[in-house]
Amino acid sequence: MNKVYILISILLWSISTAVFSQSAYSLDKMSVEKLDRGLIAMRQSEDSVSVSWRLSREDPDNVLFDLWVDGKCVIKNTKYTYLMLACDGTKEHRFEVQAHAGKSQKAIAKRLQKASYTLPANAPIGYLDIALNRPEDYWLDVNNSCSYSPNDCAVGDVDGDGQLELIVKWDPSNSHDNSHNGFTGNVYIDCYEITGPSGLKWRIDLGPNIRAGAHYTQFMVYDLDGDGKAEIVMKTADGTIDGEGNVIGDSTACWVNENGHIMDGPELLTVFGGETGRALYTTDYVPGRGAPGLWGDNRGNRSERYLAGVGYFGHEKDGKRLPSVVMCRGYYTRTALAAWDWDGSELKQRWFFDSYADGWQDYSGQGNHSLHVIDVDTDGFDEIIYGSCTIDHDGKGLYSTKLGHGDAMHVTCFMPDDDCLQVWQCHEVKGTGSTFRDARTGEIFFQIPFADDCGRCMAADIDPTNKGVEMWSICTDGIRNVKGEKIANPKRLSQNMGNWWDGDLLRELLDKTYITKYNWKTQKIELLTSFLGVTSNNSTKSVPCLQGDILGDWREEVLLRSNDNEHIYLFLTPYTTEYRFNCFLEDIPYRLGLVVENVGYNQPTQPGFYFGEGMKLSQRNRCK
């Protein structure tokens, strides 16, 4: 490379850094991920490359960066964590970032001092190509087969090197909703490097006794024992084969009934090692099925509705607070949750909540197709917002609004001058519509009634002229502010996913395979980015495999499956930004939201603090 020059425009330095954690979390006492710099380079045109990396809460306030390309220092002492360079994309280039802080007395962590990334010659423009090993077609009998497509994904550092790996669920073409009869192919869970050597690391075959569909397999990927390596926890059964080829339970058992449902046989819960996919520990799945009629019907619809999450509920080891995994069953009628602690060798049940137990009847029928884990009462422990009710960190009910089941909800601080958390939720119960409430007490601030099922809703700061986060749903007849007042009614406003993409403080909207932006001046929706050669997932839900802050600076990446189902493309923003923030992954509520993005009906992540126009920019890390 003969020339390297900065293509970014001269920008005012608006902010050095910003807080990325809710104040209730004391991170020095918690077991959290130890990520590296997350350096990534990507071709953005024939002759330009973007280079981006993480800013960490462990960095000194005055941290600066030097950028090296092919052994030559081309940028010195930059505050930015995203740069655009002129580059010959037909050649391989090695990028290195060196962090330093002058005479600062605070040392930069060794894993954050240096980072390198090699961009291959003729790399794709605009995305990172993650090649997959697609399973062969599955034959149910001599006349019926199914093919596979990559579906929901999760990320975790499975080998402790500071880099995130990608966990992929393969969905057969004959997967079924619980309410439908029919036989399905097996579900597979794979592990792949994102930026390292390509290729399949391991594969788990969940076997014939785990049905395929959106509500069955919720896979939790997180470091549960504090050893620096993520585990995978999920429901298993007779015939599950781990990543080393070991069979769990009875390999010959088949519990599938004449309608394709699985309503009998052992239900198991397994912890898999993230590095090898080996089954480390298996126990009975709790909440167990019992008599299916106790969940609302006898055909396996309501009894086979599962949710899951990860949270900090009080598990400690060597003075560090460890996360627990919570496995759930039911939300239309009976609701039950069990929290589990993993100590590296044994899975122990922490608590069990059952809405059919004395005193908790108001919690029946209040669940969503998703959940949110966050500390709502600032006691340093997480609660589980389970739709219209919330379960305290000790497994007791905190409150129930008794407003019933819904599909979607969003939990964050909606106002820049208020650290309290609120919940925006839409409900399937006819007449209930959408509600905005206090996350701690359940107090309803306002409600927009609707005569029918209100299936989708969204919350994001998209209008800088209105203070706070805006919210809308299919039944609100426009955008509402925190007082419930309608401020605009644009056409074709997506209620699907949010994504910080273009570099300002406002959030963009992700739906299907494109990103749009709300123009508050014209009150119209404008196309910002259209992703080519890819397809969204889950039918009418039209969601990505995953979206969130995974690599590079604080902006969010989008992962979508290729049209031929042989790849996942990871798209990074092509936009420069005048802001630098700690990576969103260091905000505990945001990180736990990314963990549960594969649960039920995928929901976008939200941070545990207000992020948007008017946010507090004076402090760098309130979490310290």
Side-chain angles (χ1 to χ4, degrees):
M1 178 167 53
N2 298 322
K3 289 185 178 181
V4 180
Y5 58 91
I6 303 177
L7 297 179
I8 62 173
S9 60
I10 303 299
L11 299 170
L12 294 175
W13 187 251
S14 300
I15 173 176
S16 170
T17 48
V19 52
F20 264 39
S21 191
Q22 192 189 13
S23 57
Y25 293 96
S26 181
L27 294 188
D28 59 335
K29 298 179 180 179
M30 300 174 71
S31 175
V32 294
E33 288 172 315
K34 297 293 185 182
L35 298 174
D36 68 5
R37 218 26 110 180
L39 177 66
I40 185 69
M42 178 167 292
R43 293 179 70 196
Q44 297 292 358
S45 69
E46 293 292 341
D47 56 3
S48 66
V49 172
S50 64
V51 187
S52 182
W53 58 91
R54 296 183 184 117
L55 188 72
S56 171
R57 70 181 183 90
E58 298 180 57
D59 289 325
D61 290 341
N62 61 337
V63 65
L64 298 172
F65 301 97
D66 297 341
L67 177 65
W68 297 68
V69 183
D70 297 334
K72 180 180 180 181
C73 184
V74 297
I75 305 291
K76 290 186 68 67
N77 301 328
T78 181
K79 293 181 178 180
Y80 293 99
T81 56
Y82 183 105
L83 298 173
M84 193 80 80
L85 309 173
C87 220
D88 183 353
T90 64
K91 299 179 180 179
E92 177 182 285
H93 296 295
R94 181 174 174 82
F95 297 86
E96 298 174 272
V97 164
Q98 171 81 50
H100 58 89
K103 297 180 180 180
S104 172
Q105 294 185 1
K106 180 179 178 182
I108 296 173
K110 184 176 181 180
R111 62 188 168 81
L112 298 171
Q113 290 175 1
K114 294 182 180 180
S116 63
Y117 180 80
T118 298
L119 181 69
N122 298 308
I125 294 176
Y127 64 90
L128 178 66
D129 184 355
I130 304 173
L132 305 177
N133 185 357
R134 186 159 69 100
E136 295 182 356
D137 291 358
Y138 184 93
W139 288 85
L140 283 76
D141 54 47
V142 294
N143 297 313
N144 297 289
S145 67
C146 61
S147 58
Y148 283 88
S149 60
N151 193 256
D152 294 329
C153 293
V155 291
D157 180 5
V158 303
D159 51 16
D161 65 354
Q163 299 181 8
L164 296 174
E165 280 75 38
L166 184 68
I167 311 300
V168 180
K169 182 182 79 168
W170 288 97
D171 208 27
S173 55
N174 59 358
S175 65
H176 285 294
D177 187 271
N178 309 55
S179 60
H180 302 155
N181 292 335
F183 297 87
T184 76
N186 290 12
V187 176
Y188 302 103
I189 305 292
D190 285 3
C191 179
Y192 297 89
E193 297 281 357
I194 296 178
T195 59
S198 60
L200 175 67
K201 291 176 70 69
W202 49 255
R203 169 169 293 164
I204 296 169
D205 178 354
L206 288 179
N209 295 305
I210 295 291
R211 203 167 187 245
H215 306 290
Y216 298 101
T217 295
Q218 328 295 332
F219 52 105
M220 298 294 95
V221 182
Y222 208 73
D223 178 13
L224 297 173
D225 58 4
D227 68 350
K229 300 178 182 180
E231 289 79 33
I232 296 90
V233 182
M234 55 190 166
K235 190 173 186 285
T236 58
D238 282 336
T240 294
I241 303 174
D242 75 4
E244 292 185 344
N246 304 304
V247 179
I248 296 172
D250 184 351
S251 62
T252 64
C254 181
W255 300 101
V256 184
N257 67 20
E258 66 277 7
N259 294 317
H261 293 276
I262 301 161
M263 299 175 61
D264 205 349
E267 297 184 283
L268 305 175
L269 180 65
T270 300
V271 179
F272 297 90
E275 194 164 13
T276 64
R278 180 169 65 91
L280 303 177
Y281 190 86
T282 296
T283 188
D284 290 337
Y285 184 89
V286 179
R289 180 187 300 115
L294 292 176
W295 303 93
D297 63 46
N298 288 305
R299 59 191 183 92
N301 182 13
R302 280 152 168 64
S303 67
E304 303 306 299
R305 301 278 177 163
Y306 303 96
L307 299 175
V310 169
Y312 293 82
F313 303 132
H315 184 206
E316 292 190 1
K317 180 181 179 182
D318 300 329
K320 285 281 190 179
R321 187 167 298 165
L322 295 174
S324 304
V325 64
V326 59
M327 308 304 291
C328 318
R329 190 182 214 123
Y331 36 79
Y332 287 123
T333 49
R334 183 184 180 186
T335 292
L337 302 83
W340 299 86
D341 299 336
W342 170 249
D343 63 6
S345 60
E346 187 177 2
L347 198 60
K348 298 179 181 179
Q349 188 174 308
R350 169 164 289 272
W351 50 253
F352 176 65
F353 174 88
D354 189 347
S355 68
Y356 274 18
D358 289 343
W360 305 125
Q361 286 80 5
D362 287 345
Y363 291 76
S364 288
Q366 304 302 312
N368 265 22
H369 288 290
S370 59
L371 54 73
H372 202 99
V373 182
I374 192 169
D375 180 8
V376 303
D377 52 13
T378 65
D379 63 356
F381 301 97
D382 285 316
E383 283 71 46
I384 303 160
I385 302 180
Y386 204 80
S388 293
C389 65
T390 295
I391 311 302
D392 210 344
H393 71 274
D394 58 3
K396 298 179 181 179
L398 186 63
Y399 68 80
S400 175
T401 67
K402 296 183 282 189
L403 291 174
H405 167 72
D407 279 7
M409 64 179 171
H410 303 275
V411 184
T412 190
C413 296
F414 278 68
M415 291 295 285
D417 52 2
D418 182 2
D419 288 335
C420 294
L421 297 164
Q422 295 85 30
V423 181
W424 172 240
Q425 181 182 357
C426 54
H427 303 264
E428 282 191 7
V429 180
K430 293 183 178 180
T432 305
S434 304
T435 57
F436 184 56
R437 76 175 191 254
D438 187 319
R440 180 178 64 88
T441 67
E443 176 189 357
I444 304 298
F445 296 133
F446 70 82
Q447 180 176 4
I448 310 295
F450 189 61
D452 208 342
D453 174 351
C454 190
R456 300 294 284 177
C457 65
M458 182 59 199
D461 184 23
I462 60 174
D463 185 347
T465 65
N466 174 68
K467 186 177 181 180
V469 169
E470 291 77 47
M471 61 202 92
W472 61 97
S473 70
I474 64 172
C475 59
T476 54
D477 188 30
I479 303 170
R480 305 280 173 155
N481 61 21
V482 295
K483 297 179 180 179
E485 301 166 336
K486 185 165 67 173
I487 60 175
N489 189 18
K491 296 180 179 179
R492 297 184 296 278
L493 182 64
S494 168
Q495 295 107 12
N496 203 357
M497 308 283 283
N499 185 274
W500 281 289
W501 184 254
D502 68 357
D504 61 22
L505 297 180
L506 303 177
R507 204 169 196 188
E508 288 67 58
L509 302 177
L510 169 64
D511 187 24
K512 299 182 177 66
T513 60
Y514 50 82
I515 292 177
T516 58
K517 191 175 185 68
Y518 173 63
N519 186 327
W520 67 91
K521 297 177 181 178
T522 63
Q523 296 189 4
K524 293 183 178 180
I525 309 303
E526 298 176 351
L527 179 64
L528 198 62
T529 300
S530 182
F531 303 117
L532 303 178
V534 289
T535 304
S536 58
N537 282 335
N538 300 329
S539 185
T540 59
K541 300 300 181 291
S542 301
V543 294
C545 296
L546 189 69
Q547 75 88 39
D549 177 18
I550 297 169
L551 291 168
D553 71 3
W554 57 275
R555 266 87 59 83
E556 296 178 299
E557 288 71 57
V558 178
L559 284 79
L560 290 158
R561 60 185 170 102
S562 62
N563 289 336
D564 62 5
N565 294 318
E566 299 283 354
H567 307 258
I568 286 178
Y569 295 161
L570 187 152
F571 295 93
L572 285 91
T573 179
Y575 293 90
T576 57
T577 179
E578 62 186 286
Y579 299 101
R580 76 171 188 176
F581 297 119
N582 294 359
C583 66
F584 271 117
L585 290 173
E586 293 189 341
D587 176 60
I588 296 296
Y590 183 96
R591 183 65 181 94
L592 298 182
L594 193 63
V595 171
V596 301
E597 203 172 300
N598 68 75
V599 172
Y601 295 165
N602 314 60
Q603 301 296 302
T605 51
Q606 297 282 5
F609 59 96
Y610 175 82
F611 189 92
E613 194 71 24
M615 66 183 291
K616 298 174 183 178
L617 302 178
S618 58
Q619 287 182 297
R620 182 167 181 274
N621 281 310
R622 282 187 299 172
C623 57
K624 291 186 178 180

